[in-house]
Amino acid sequence: MIDDRKFLLEAFKEAEKSKEEGTYPIGAVIVNSDGMIISRGRNKVFSDCDTTAHAEVDAIRISGLAMLDIENKRFLKEDFTLYTTCEPCPMCSCSILLCFSIKRVVWAANDKEMGAMRKFKEGPHFLDRFNKISYDAAPFRDLEIRQRKMMAEWSISRGFKDTPWQYDNEIEE
Ligand SMILES: [Zn+2]
């Protein structure tokens, strides 16, 4: 669990960059079975004018060499963990599924609106595939609140006043 926190904090470094770039403050890192970060991604939707440039997809796109055996045209099916500051959306959940190398996903904050990983894990579609991926949802209350506050600030800065990210942000003693 100590490592999970360490790598989530690395994902937050990416989220902070996205925030500075004026897009969704969401970051991700992919870690191999030796505990090495093999890639870093961040949201670039508004900074790159790309609706598909989510943090998780960004990290997966630059991990091709670690996930594919180009010579033999096969997927390497490694045992990687993806850390992201926000629960993966439907696109990112399926991108995680289709790279066949991410076996575990850890995210800082649940996303009631667009979060999809937990829904996919309930089935029925592609459940045999999603069963191969485990997850840890919002394991650290302080990091969950940190992400929720960033999402609230981002939403409010765009003119969305009553965002669900504003609520449930108290540390329980
Ligand atoms: Zn996404």
Side-chain angles (χ1 to χ4, degrees), residues 11-81:
F12 270 102
K13 287 183 188 170
E14 298 302 312
E16 293 288 347
K17 284 184 209 163
S18 285
K19 183 181 165 183
E20 283 166 28
E21 291 163 356
T23 185
Y24 290 88
I26 300 173
V29 296
I30 297 174
V31 175
N32 70 13
S33 52
D34 295 326
M36 301 280 291
I37 294 174
I38 62 160
S39 78
R40 297 170 170 274
R42 65 184 187 276
N43 187 284
K44 296 174 181 169
V45 167
F46 287 101
S47 49
D48 273 10
C49 194
D50 177 355
T51 57
T52 70
H54 291 197
E56 300 91 324
V57 167
D58 191 41
I60 290 168
R61 277 184 184 148
I62 58 170
S63 305
L65 277 179
M67 295 178 175
L68 295 170
D69 176 353
I70 298 296
E71 201 180 317
N72 297 301
K73 314 288 182 211
R74 289 175 192 273
F75 286 79
L76 289 170
K77 299 185 178 174
E78 296 285 356
D79 187 9
F80 297 156
T81 300

Side-chain angles (χ1 to χ4, degrees), residues 149-166:
K149 285 185 171 165
M150 276 210 294
M151 292 299 280
E153 276 172 33
W154 159 247
S155 295
I156 291 163
S157 76
R158 294 193 298 152
F160 296 105
K161 297 300 174 201
D162 198 29
T163 156
W165 295 109
Q166 285 168 264

